[in-house]
Amino acid sequence: MPWRELQSINRPTRRLPLLGGCLGLLAVICFALGLSIVRKVDEHGIAPTDSNVFSVAQIEVEYLKFDRALRDAMSGQGELSEMRRWFDIFYSRLTPPETSRTFVHYLDTPDFMHALEEVRTFALSAAQIIDAPSDELQAALPRLLAMSQAIEPAVRRSALSGLSSAYEKNEALWSSVLESLKFSARLLAIGIGGLVVLGATLLALVRVSESRAREIESQSSRMRMIVETSLDAIFVLDSRGRVQMINEVAQAQFGLTPETVEGRDMLSVFSVDDAARERLSFLTEGRRPVADERWLEAEARINGRRIPIEISVDSTDTRRGWSHVAFVRDISQRRAAERALRKARDRALAGERAKAEFLDVMSHEMRTPLNGVLGAVELLRDTPLTARQSELVETVDRSGEVMLSLVDGVLDLAKFSSGRGEPEPQVVDPHTLVDSVTATLRAMAASAGLRLSWTRGADLPDRIVADPKLLRHVLMNLVSNAIKFTPSGRVDIAMDLEESDMLVIRVSDTGIGIAPEDRERIFGDFETADPSYTRRHRGTGLGLGIAKRIVDLLGGTIGVDSEQSVGSTFWLRVPVGVPADQPRPVNMDAAPGRPLRILLVEDNEINRLVAGDFLRREGHEVIEACDGVEGVARAESEVFDAILMDISMPRMDGPTAARRIRSGGGRSAKAPIIGVTAQVLPGVIDSLRKAGMDDCVTKPLDPVLLAQSLRRAAGGDVVTGELCRADTIDSMQAILGPERTVQLAIALSDQMERDLPRLCDSDRPMDQRGQLAHDLAGAAAGFGLTRLHGALCEVERAIKVDGVARADALSALGGLWVQSRISLDQRVCSFGGAGAARVSSAVAG
Amino acid sequence: MLRLCLAPVFALYACAATASVDGDLPAAPADGAILTVGGAIGCTNDGDEAVFDLEGLEQVGHSEIQTSTIWTEGEQVFEGVRLDTLLEAVCAEGNGLRATALNEYQVDIPLDAMMREGALIAYRHNGEEMTLRDRGPVWIVFPWDQEPAYQTEDYYNRSVWQLERLDVIE
């Protein structure tokens, strides 16, 4: 990876300024040292120099010369003038330090200074003698000699101390100079070392930069290769969007040459409009394009032609600013293809629409005169006709019907194929659905001599979410087909819920069957298995086609299983919704209450239909009234076993109607009235009771509760309750399971049969009998045997409060137990009847 | 550059210069000789030497230097003959000079430009003749104050006092 190498370059590079700084510092130090050395050397100029030392030494020399001259003069071998001369010379050597700088260096050498002082003192005293006239001098010579001899040690001392001091001082100076030199030499060595390191670093840098250059070279040649072999035109732009490089393809495709475009702004090469320029604003703003800025289509004008182009750009931040690369494609071909496709599609769609509209219009147009024809035929039928005329009228009618159904079929076809038939799902009871279909087609089946029935699967809920109209349409179609194509036998409709959301309807017949090769075909438009049947049976051949379209619309599948001459089963599977709060499918095979004659007073048509359907399914006879007024009228004139009264109705509401009925003294004045209300507030129930209603159920109608209410109403006196309450047993079965329920029921039976005789035994103590009554009452209540429970409670009360146990009450218990047991039996689904016999005999005896 | 620096020195000399007579030496004195010039010289007044007394030297040349020295205190006035004047007078033919002092001190001096132009053979100090004790009678002095270049060990060594003779050497 080249990046790592770059990093390693950086380290030496970073070292450079550091090194440079150190060297600079060294140089400064060396310079300073040099200056100090120079200064020291300068100082040497005022250090004891050789001439100073010479002067000090010369003191002794010139003293000795004087001394010799003095001795010579004394011995007569020398002249006095010679002696005088040497004394003067000696004397001139002794200038005091105050006047001459000769001895300035020795001021801090006490030995020397003392010696010099002694010598000077001698010189001054001697000068007096020597300056005297010659004869005096001659006479004084011995004295002079003595003085001279006396001073000789001092002279010697001065020379020696002066010399040694000078030596020391020079030594000190030179060794400090030497030290400085050594120090600067060391610094220099370090400096040189630094230079060497610098050199090595530079060498390393050079090597790295060389390899980097090689790397870049190879990379750039790779890049060049990519650019040149690309199939798209590539533009390399600088940070301002100016063209730096274009590849061959760019040149060929757009007729550009490097000379004409290099340095020019790419956007102006293509003469794009301002909108495109806006999109590519990042080029000049010097930033990376965000995702949706990287690609755009634009209109370019180049070399006089207008070309639609597609540009995709990306950018990268190099150290010298942004660099952009743009791929430009000429998309005129693609545009043309897109246009052609769009046109074709539009044409096709238009064609479809035109076709559908045509069918639609034509059907409507055809319908009107058809209706006229059929209407006229109807009227004709009512007029006196000859046999021949009747025949002809029938022919016209039949043909007219066929045409009408054809037209209707075409309309439906058009509606469903143009997608106008949107399913409208709603909560619907599948039973109602099938009921309406069978009700409608029952007559047709009957006239064909066929049995029509329907069954449901155990999992079919009472409520599903589907479009009832569409489902009914399909069902009608399938069932009517079945009827048509079944000469004899039966048509069965089976309905179930599979996979928890698939409604499956199977219409089976014992008809002529369908040949295997026709099974697919028949679902096509205008197809029938055998065209001759179309003529015999008034079919358009459109039915299955429409059915299939509807099933497709509902997202389901439709098909047929068939065996020729045996029968066919048309099936459809349609996904439906299942509302969450599904009441447990009530086992409708449970014994219903006895069929009742019920007056249904409900203003809402749908509600009326639903309730009415349900009630009829339960086996009841239902008379419908649309509002309170009608309800009251009906109740007055007819006998009903129960009245189902909606609470909120216009003109006259439920409670008012109930009061009217109760107070009207009509034929159903005493019939139990069950109110149907949307509200469940306790106060409401109370007020309904006051109005004369006996019970109420809430909307939406719960079939189970409604059935219970009706049973309560039918089962005799509401106050005394029923023999065996269904809901108690149901909940027992739900919680404990059927088997356990049976076991418990058997246990109850045993208890009853054991204890009822005991209760009736007058020999037993009263408190015991009272306790028995109490226990049995509780047991009875546990199984919902309300009447038995009530009776037992009464016996218990009589025993405990009144202290009596009436024989008739006791004997009634036996019979009541038998009845209750039968009822319980029915509920729980049976156990043996031997116990009952035992109880009866015990009670009777 | 050196020549430029010496310009003020020349100026100083110029004020007090007296033209010397080439090859025209004063007669050798009978006594009172204070300086003898020998060696490689062309012009002599006593055999192969040139001997001078105070008047003789004064005749050869008269210049003045005002300077302090390391052996005295304060500014001094020296009168004497410039070395180059003297050398011309004796027709010196050498490049070196050997100076000998009365105490037998001897030093060889190369006759470079600085030497020729700066050296003054002084015979008066502050207007007075110099006694032996005064470092006289003849003292080679330099314009130390005017020209710091003369303030070196070399020139202090060349500043011979109690000068006895000068010998021109190769």
Side-chain angles (χ1 to χ4, degrees):
Chain A
M1 275 293 303
W3 289 114
R4 233 177 272 142
E5 290 172 36
L6 245 189
Q7 298 240 321
S8 67
I9 292 180
N10 285 337
R11 263 182 260 117
T13 317
R14 261 183 260 128
R15 261 194 260 154
L16 267 177
L18 200 67
L19 269 175
C22 288
L23 282 176
L25 198 65
L26 271 175
V28 168
I29 293 174
C30 277
F31 186 66
L33 268 176
L35 272 180
S36 87
I37 290 172
V38 167
R39 221 182 323 114
K40 284 214 169 84
V41 170
D42 268 354
E43 271 174 24
H44 190 61
I46 54 168
T49 60
D50 289 341
S51 69
N52 294 141
V53 170
F54 175 76
S55 301
V56 165
Q58 281 294 102
I59 296 173
E60 192 178 15
V61 170
E62 275 151 25
Y63 158 76
L64 287 170
K65 287 193 177 161
F66 157 71
D67 191 74
R68 193 172 53 191
L70 174 59
R71 283 175 208 274
D72 283 348
M74 273 192 68
S75 67
Q77 283 174 316
E79 292 293 326
L80 275 179
S81 60
E82 190 69 15
M83 188 203 74
R84 277 204 169 99
R85 200 165 80 123
W86 278 112
F87 179 78
D88 281 347
I89 292 173
F90 170 64
Y91 187 90
S92 74
R93 190 61 66 192
L94 296 173
T95 30
E98 302 89 68
T99 34
S100 142
R101 288 207 321 221
T102 318
F103 303 120
V104 70
H105 298 289
Y106 305 95
L107 288 175
D108 58 352
T109 316
D111 282 352
F112 175 80
M113 293 313 289
H114 291 148
L116 185 67
E117 208 41 52
E118 276 184 54
V119 174
R120 202 177 273 124
T121 312
F122 157 74
L124 283 169
S125 350
Q128 287 177 340
I129 300 173
I130 287 183
D131 287 345
S134 303
D135 47 350
E136 275 185 49
L137 175 58
Q138 188 73 43
L141 280 181
R143 191 156 51 105
L144 203 57
L145 184 63
M147 283 166 70
S148 170
Q149 279 181 324
I151 205 62
E152 190 184 350
V155 176
R156 185 87 194 119
R157 250 204 334 265
S158 77
L160 286 175
S161 61
L163 280 171
S164 86
S165 160
Y167 175 75
E168 276 168 22
K169 284 193 177 15
N170 278 324
E171 267 301 302
L173 176 69
W174 279 114
S175 62
S176 83
V177 168
L178 210 68
E179 275 309 308
S180 306
L181 275 172
K182 276 199 224 155
F183 186 62
S184 63
R186 262 181 243 124
L187 281 179
L188 211 67
I190 295 171
I192 289 170
L195 275 169
V196 168
V197 170
L198 192 66
T201 308
L202 283 169
L203 205 68
L205 268 172
V206 163
R207 235 179 280 133
V208 173
S209 105
E210 268 174 11
S211 87
R212 180 93 182 98
R214 258 176 281 132
E215 178 70 40
I216 288 173
E217 177 56 42
S218 83
Q219 266 196 340
S220 97
S221 68
R222 231 177 296 148
M223 207 37 69
R224 243 195 312 269
M225 188 178 67
I226 293 171
V227 163
E228 288 308 324
T229 57
S230 156
L231 290 174
D232 287 329
I234 301 181
F235 290 74
V236 178
L237 313 172
D238 68 7
S239 58
R240 298 293 204 81
R242 289 187 294 242
V243 179
Q244 286 182 321
M245 199 199 95
I246 59 173
N247 68 347
E248 293 275 336
V249 176
Q251 297 178 36
Q253 208 166 70
F254 298 108
L256 305 168
T257 61
E259 297 80 42
T260 54
V261 294
E262 260 165 29
R264 278 179 62 195
D265 168 37
M266 183 185 86
L267 295 177
S268 59
V269 168
F270 285 104
S271 305
V272 296
D273 60 12
D274 292 330
R277 223 174 251 282
E278 262 306 301
R279 284 286 298 278
L280 297 171
S281 61
F282 64 86
L283 279 179
T284 45
E285 283 169 25
R287 58 179 172 84
R288 191 123 194 266
V290 297
D292 60 357
E293 280 176 316
R294 288 208 200 115
W295 177 90
L296 76 140
E297 296 184 359
E299 288 292 318
R301 218 174 334 192
I302 193 161
N303 296 335
R305 300 185 289 145
R306 304 198 76 211
I307 313 178
I309 55 170
E310 181 185 68
I311 306 177
S312 60
V313 198
D314 203 351
S315 318
T316 171
D317 192 2
T318 66
R319 261 187 258 165
R320 266 183 280 135
W322 286 92
S323 187
H324 312 278
V325 174
F327 282 66
V328 181
R329 270 165 238 119
D330 178 347
I331 52 171
S332 28
Q333 276 193 331
R334 181 165 60 166
R335 283 269 177 87
E338 279 172 12
R339 264 198 301 271
L341 261 175
R342 230 175 289 139
K343 243 192 265 181
R345 182 197 65 189
D346 290 342
R347 240 179 290 136
L349 279 176
E352 284 294 313
R353 234 175 297 132
K355 194 170 67 175
E357 275 174 29
F358 172 74
L359 281 175
D360 212 3
V361 165
M362 288 314 293
S363 306
H364 278 295
E365 294 303 308
M366 284 195 283
R367 246 230 186 117
T368 321
L370 254 183
N371 279 325
V373 166
L374 289 173
V377 162
E378 207 51 47
L379 291 172
L380 252 182
R381 262 217 206 91
D382 289 340
T383 64
L385 297 168
T386 66
R388 177 91 181 114
Q389 282 171 329
S390 281
E391 257 181 56
L392 293 169
V393 161
E394 286 314 309
T395 312
V396 172
D397 185 42
R398 263 204 304 275
S399 306
E401 291 286 337
V402 171
M403 263 180 76
L404 189 63
S405 59
L406 247 174
V407 168
D408 281 344
V410 168
L411 259 181
D412 280 345
L413 204 70
K415 180 166 84 163
F416 290 121
S417 56
S418 71
R420 258 184 290 157
E422 277 290 325
E424 291 161 26
Q426 46 182 267
V427 178
V428 66
D429 184 350
H431 310 95
T432 320
L433 201 67
V434 178
D435 272 345
S436 66
V437 169
T438 50
T440 315
L441 294 173
R442 207 177 289 277
M444 186 177 157
S447 69
L450 300 168
R451 257 191 57 201
L452 179 63
S453 69
W454 75 273
T455 55
R456 54 183 293 274
D459 292 327
L460 188 70
D462 282 345
R463 287 208 287 264
I464 56 169
V465 181
D467 185 334
K469 286 206 198 82
L470 294 179
L471 279 177
R472 190 176 290 130
H473 200 297
V474 175
L475 208 51
M476 284 286 284
N477 184 282
L478 292 180
V479 175
S480 62
N481 273 356
I483 295 173
K484 269 185 249 174
F485 290 96
T486 306
S488 67
R490 47 188 299 164
V491 174
D492 292 313
I493 306 167
M495 210 164 164
D496 202 358
L497 190 78
E498 285 177 17
E499 291 160 25
S500 75
D501 69 341
M502 281 299 225
L503 179 68
V504 179
I505 304 178
R506 292 192 181 80
V507 178
S508 323
D509 64 49
T510 54
I512 56 174
I514 303 168
E517 56 270 22
D518 294 332
R519 276 188 216 135
E520 290 258 339
R521 193 168 55 83
I522 51 173
F523 290 101
D525 298 340
F526 298 107
E527 294 280 359
T528 51
D530 182 350
S532 63
Y533 280 103
T534 320
R535 285 177 238 119
R536 213 187 307 158
H537 302 84
R538 297 162 357 155
T540 56
L542 286 173
L544 283 177
I546 294 171
K548 180 165 195 317
R549 271 200 175 70
I550 293 174
V551 168
D552 286 345
L553 201 66
L554 293 172
T557 47
I558 188 169
V560 63
D561 302 319
S562 181
E563 217 184 302
Q564 275 183 300
S565 312
V566 174
S568 321
T569 301
F570 280 81
W571 53 265
L572 65 109
R573 294 166 64 89
V574 166
V576 295
V578 177
D581 57 334
Q582 191 65 237
R584 208 169 55 84
V586 178
N587 191 356
M588 282 303 164
D589 290 335
R594 64 176 173 84
L596 304 169
R597 190 150 190 276
I598 301 175
L599 174 63
L600 176 62
V601 187
E602 165 67 65
D603 67 312
N604 185 300
E605 188 185 341
I606 295 172
N607 292 351
R608 211 171 45 240
L609 214 73
V610 168
D613 272 357
F614 166 72
L615 290 170
R616 283 190 193 97
R617 196 152 25 97
E618 286 286 285
H620 304 301
E621 187 187 344
V622 179
I623 310 299
E624 293 171 14
C626 301
D627 62 16
V629 176
E630 201 187 318
V632 170
R634 282 266 173 144
E636 239 168 83
S637 57
E638 295 171 55
V639 180
F640 292 104
D641 295 315
I643 304 178
L644 214 57
M645 179 84 77
D646 185 27
I647 299 301
S648 54
M649 292 185 289
R651 288 216 287 168
M652 190 188 288
D653 65 14
T656 316
R659 259 180 249 120
R660 285 277 171 79
I661 292 171
R662 286 276 182 258
S663 59
R667 297 184 74 187
S668 298
K670 293 232 168 35
I673 305 180
I674 302 172
V676 181
T677 173
Q679 296 171 304
V680 277
L681 306 169
V684 167
I685 297 178
D686 267 347
S687 65
L688 291 179
R689 283 263 157 79
K690 287 208 191 95
M693 295 192 177
D694 302 290
D695 200 352
C696 66
V697 291
T698 52
K699 286 198 255 197
L701 282 178
D702 185 328
V704 175
L705 294 176
L706 180 58
Q708 281 177 4
S709 296
L710 282 172
R711 272 182 224 126
R712 269 202 293 277
D717 206 345
V718 179
V719 175
T720 55
E722 52 190 309
L723 276 173
C724 177
R725 286 183 58 167
D727 54 345
T728 317
I729 300 301
D730 283 347
S731 52
M732 272 182 97
Q733 283 185 321
I735 295 165
L736 303 170
E739 285 195 12
R740 185 96 181 101
T741 309
V742 168
Q743 285 173 4
L744 289 171
I746 293 175
L748 171 72
S749 178
D750 287 343
Q751 187 186 8
M752 281 291 171
E753 281 160 29
R754 187 186 62 224
D755 289 341
L756 270 176
R758 286 194 198 157
L759 174 60
C760 301
D761 188 355
S762 46
D763 293 324
R764 286 187 183 267
M766 268 308 183
D767 49 336
Q768 227 183 62
R769 289 166 84 182
Q771 189 60 42
L772 279 168
H774 178 83
D775 291 338
L776 291 173
F783 278 80
L785 309 174
T786 19
R787 281 171 69 177
L788 184 58
H789 164 78
L792 281 165
C793 281
E794 182 52 39
V795 167
E796 182 195 352
R797 195 198 63 79
I799 292 174
K800 285 194 176 160
V801 175
D802 297 345
V804 295
R806 298 217 330 260
D808 53 344
L810 288 171
S811 60
L813 282 176
L816 193 49
W817 160 236
V818 171
Q819 276 183 31
S820 303
R821 197 174 169 285
I822 292 170
S823 184
L824 180 64
D825 193 313
Q826 282 175 341
R827 291 268 172 274
V828 173
C829 301
S830 85
F831 43 96
R838 262 186 287 153
V839 171
S840 311
S841 63
V843 167
Chain B
M1 184 154 119
L2 206 54
R3 287 196 166 262
L4 274 172
C5 295
L6 292 175
V9 175
F10 294 153
L12 208 62
Y13 279 152
C15 318
T18 316
S20 73
V21 182
D22 196 323
D24 198 3
L25 288 174
D31 60 0
I34 58 175
L35 181 69
T36 307
V37 183
I41 57 176
C43 309
T44 62
N45 63 2
D46 184 7
D48 55 356
E49 297 177 340
V51 183
F52 304 92
D53 59 1
L54 184 62
E55 288 80 22
L57 284 179
E58 279 179 327
Q59 260 189 292
V60 174
H62 182 263
S63 301
E64 224 178 75
I65 291 183
Q66 284 178 359
T67 179
S68 58
T69 78
I70 60 169
W71 301 276
T72 58
E73 182 123 346
E75 208 171 66
Q76 320 294 321
V77 180
F78 294 97
E79 293 162 64
V81 56
R82 288 182 50 172
L83 179 62
D84 54 1
T85 311
L86 181 63
L87 290 174
E88 246 186 83
V90 299
C91 317
E93 288 153 14
N95 293 319
L97 207 62
R98 178 166 291 158
T100 312
L102 284 168
N103 66 346
E104 290 152 4
Y105 172 68
Q106 210 173 62
V107 67
D108 288 349
I109 306 169
L111 283 172
D112 56 21
M114 255 180 94
M115 194 61 203
R116 286 181 200 264
E117 286 156 0
L120 180 78
I121 314 297
Y123 42 74
R124 270 194 224 273
H125 179 201
N126 290 338
E128 302 284 333
E129 293 174 41
M130 294 179 275
T131 64
L132 274 174
R133 294 183 193 172
D134 255 345
R135 299 186 187 86
V138 182
W139 190 7
I140 305 179
V141 296
F142 297 92
W144 286 291
D145 283 356
Q146 286 78 15
E147 195 43 56
Y150 291 110
Q151 290 175 16
T152 64
E153 193 57 28
D154 263 350
Y155 281 93
Y156 293 138
N157 287 345
R158 293 173 192 180
S159 175
V160 180
W161 69 66
Q162 295 158 353
L163 184 69
E164 194 183 20
R165 52 176 302 130
L166 287 171
D167 286 291
V168 180
I169 52 178
E170 295 307 312

